[in-house]
Amino acid sequence: MNDDSGKQRCPKAPGLRSPRQLRRVALLIAAIACLAVPRTTAWAATLQGVWLIDGKAAVQMFDCEGLLCGRIRWLQNARDPQDQAVRDKNNPEPTLRQRQLCGLTIISGMRPTDPNRWEGGSFYNPDDGKTYGVSAELKSADVLIARIYAGIPALGETKTLQRVPHGTSEGWC
């Protein structure tokens, strides 16, 4: 397309007639891009901390590559009768049976589905050496409801976890 001076002109995009309209479209695209960025880290931050399970163990929840994970940070019985650190003796993999339970990641891969809900994770239970599905819902700042299941969530077990301060009693890893 040529103008009166013979110079080549670029055709305008349909509906965009001025630099002001272009700026508006650019701002709209930027706003949409900001909304589309996953908020996993922000959501995970609300769950981060240490949570007590059945008075037997405490799990520290943390962000792991945009997902939520949990590692053992306290055990009611952190030592065996020989005063050795408790090991993962029920693990189906013989080479892993000598690893210590303290510090072991037992929850992995939970992804946020809402600001207070996570699903699709795995829970490794050192008591029986099996891995289960897990989902969690934050009921308040200090109460977390976890659903641990084999296959179907409706047939699983619900656990209520309480947030606890780290390092306040014996048995901390």
Side-chain angles (χ1 to χ4, degrees):
M1 182 184 265
N2 293 327
D3 64 9
D4 294 340
S5 66
K7 293 182 183 176
Q8 194 91 29
R9 274 190 323 164
C10 293
K12 289 185 180 178
L16 300 177
R17 294 180 172 59
S18 71
R20 184 175 180 190
Q21 287 176 320
L22 286 171
R23 279 194 300 273
R24 284 183 183 167
V25 169
L27 285 172
L28 179 61
I29 290 170
I32 291 170
C34 287
L35 292 174
V37 172
R39 295 175 299 205
T40 304
T41 304
W43 290 351
T46 60
L47 203 59
Q48 287 182 3
V50 180
W51 298 87
L52 186 64
I53 304 172
D54 293 338
K56 296 180 182 179
V59 175
Q60 177 186 23
M61 302 302 283
F62 62 96
D63 179 78
C64 55
E65 298 181 16
L67 299 173
L68 198 62
C69 296
R71 69 174 67 95
I72 296 174
R73 298 305 291 156
W74 176 83
L75 291 166
Q76 182 181 40
N77 298 313
R79 315 235 14 111
D80 67 15
Q82 291 77 33
D83 200 34
Q84 300 294 313
V86 177
R87 308 277 176 186
D88 190 14
K89 65 183 179 203
N90 295 319
N91 195 298
E93 180 63 44
T95 59
L96 298 177
R97 292 181 186 151
Q98 289 304 308
R99 65 184 178 172
Q100 292 185 19
L101 291 184
C102 271
L104 182 65
T105 297
I106 60 170
I107 297 173
S108 60
M110 285 201 305
R111 67 185 184 321
T113 56
D114 285 316
N116 294 323
R117 186 155 181 74
W118 295 262
E119 294 179 354
S122 297
F123 172 75
Y124 171 70
N125 184 354
D127 290 340
D128 63 12
K130 294 181 181 177
T131 301
Y132 300 91
V134 65
S135 61
E137 184 174 1
L138 191 64
K139 289 295 189 178
S140 72
D142 295 326
V143 176
L144 177 68
I145 304 297
R147 187 78 178 159
I148 300 168
Y149 55 91
I152 302 170
L155 301 178
E157 182 179 357
T158 299
K159 297 281 185 180
T160 300
L161 289 72
Q162 299 288 322
R163 191 184 298 269
V164 293
H166 183 267
T168 56
S169 65
E170 293 290 321
W172 288 94
C173 303

